[in-house]
């Protein structure tokens, strides 16, 4: 199997889902070692103030780590998980077999850049660590806007560096000093984690993401930093599609 260099992934983000195929079976273990990973996803879901009966699109759902806090918040709702990595979806389908069988969840293999879904199908879009992997951020947000019903909400949860002088060096030290060596040891693949660190350094800060959301048509846009040591590097950005 040919290997893609991390720098190639930055210029050709269409290849990113294939790289996730390589590490799909070990993704949950690698992320479970990241302190606060699941707690942060839960905190972002809470920012959406769900009623509990919505139909939510988990955009770039991966193995379903972001789907789990949605499930907890939706006792009467439904979830569609979308991802373009067959390997990641296979893990998600194993995890949520019961919910799939009873029609509460479904998982679809699609490209978020061209999701080919009915407009205005969802009450909420949750995108955890998805936007950063897109070749064109604006197209992704325009697509999300079109998939939402009027009055619907979006939450972008991602490693987006705070707009200050020290968040970049902080991330670089954390990324190259800890994330890359540790995750490489756990998964046997350095490519996707070196790409992760580079892609975050290239990714817009929360203010710029707010601007992109506004250009897509969203209103009531609010950025929330996460807790503790993640505050300079991880944000939930919530917005609404007006009625
Ligand atoms: C870091 S994982 C996040 C998974 C999950 N949301 C979580 O919180 O653990 C990023 C996911 O984005 C998916 N992805 C990347 N580019 C994509 C695209 N163009 N369309 C759909 N999914 C994509 C990858 O396959 C991968 O599963």
């Amino acid at each position: 199997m040919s290997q893609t260099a991390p720098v190639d992934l930055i210029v050709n983000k269409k290849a990113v889902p294939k790289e996730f195929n390589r590490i799909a079976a070990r993704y949950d273990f690698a992320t479970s070692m990241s302190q606060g990973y699941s707690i942060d996803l839960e905190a972002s879901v809470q920012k959406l103030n769900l009623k509990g009966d919505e139909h939510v699109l988990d955009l770039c759902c991966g193995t379903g780590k972001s789907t789990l806090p949605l499930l907890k918040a939706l006792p009467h709702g439904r979830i569609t998980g979308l991802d373009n990595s067959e390997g990641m979806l296979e893990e998600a389908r194993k995890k949520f077999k019961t919910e799939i069988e009873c029609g509460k969840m479904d998982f679809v293999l699609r490209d978020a850049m061209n999701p080919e879904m009915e407009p205005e199908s969802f009450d909420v879009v949750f995108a955890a660590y998805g936007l950063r992997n897109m070749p064109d951020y604006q197209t992704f947000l325009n697509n999300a806007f079109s998939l939402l019903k009027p009055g619907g909400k979006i939450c972008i949860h991602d490693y987006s560096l705070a707009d200050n002088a020290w968040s970049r060096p902080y991330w670089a030290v954390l990324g190259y000093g800890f994330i890359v060596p540790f995750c490489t040891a756990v998964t046997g693949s350095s490519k996707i984690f070196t790409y992760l660190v580079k892609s975050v350094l290239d990714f817009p800060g929360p203010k710029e993401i707010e601007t992109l959301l506004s250009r897509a048509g969203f209103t009531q846009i609010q950025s929330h930093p996460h807790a503790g040591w993640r505050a300079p590097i991880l944000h939930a950005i919530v917005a609404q599609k007006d009625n």
Side-chain angles (χ1 to χ4, degrees), residues 55-72:
H55 187 186
V56 179
L57 176 63
D58 186 3
L59 202 46
C60 301
C61 63
T63 63
K65 278 220 130 171
S66 46
T67 322
L68 187 60
L70 291 170
L71 179 64
K72 288 186 192 162

Side-chain angles (χ1 to χ4, degrees), residues 16-17 20 27 37 41 60-62 65-66 82-85 88 110-113 128-129 133-134:
V16 168
F20 274 99
Y27 180 84
Y37 193 88
L41 287 168
C60 301
C61 63
K65 278 220 130 171
S66 46
L82 179 152
D83 203 281
N84 215 15
S85 159
M88 296 290 269
R110 299 273 164 84
D111 184 352
M113 293 301 294
Y129 310 111
N133 292 309
M134 296 302 128

Side-chain angles (χ1 to χ4, degrees), residues 110-239:
R110 299 273 164 84
D111 184 352
M113 293 301 294
N114 181 23
E116 296 180 323
M117 287 170 144
E118 197 59 38
E120 302 191 357
S121 304
F122 298 97
D123 302 296
V124 172
V125 170
F126 187 59
Y129 310 111
L131 177 63
R132 187 173 28 81
N133 292 309
M134 296 302 128
D136 181 340
Y137 306 136
Q138 192 67 65
T139 300
F140 177 92
L141 295 176
N142 294 347
N143 290 343
F145 187 83
S146 137
L147 291 172
L148 277 172
K149 295 176 190 169
K153 288 185 203 168
I154 187 168
C155 176
I156 303 294
H157 168 108
D158 218 316
Y159 294 121
S160 166
L161 302 177
D163 303 301
N164 62 42
W166 56 276
S167 59
R168 286 177 69 80
Y170 178 73
W171 170 256
V173 169
L174 187 69
Y176 291 118
F178 178 73
I179 297 175
V180 173
F182 176 78
C183 292
T184 303
V186 167
T187 65
S189 171
S190 68
K191 301 282 183 309
I192 198 73
F193 299 103
T194 309
Y195 158 78
L196 161 68
V197 178
K198 285 181 192 294
S199 69
V200 172
L201 292 169
D202 269 9
F203 193 52
K207 283 273 164 276
E208 209 178 322
I209 296 175
E210 288 180 18
T211 303
L212 297 173
L213 281 161
S214 171
R215 275 192 205 132
F218 287 100
T219 61
Q220 299 185 47
I221 306 165
Q222 282 195 314
S223 294
H224 306 270
H226 274 272
W229 63 270
R230 277 102 65 209
I233 56 172
L234 182 65
H235 289 82
I237 306 161
V238 182

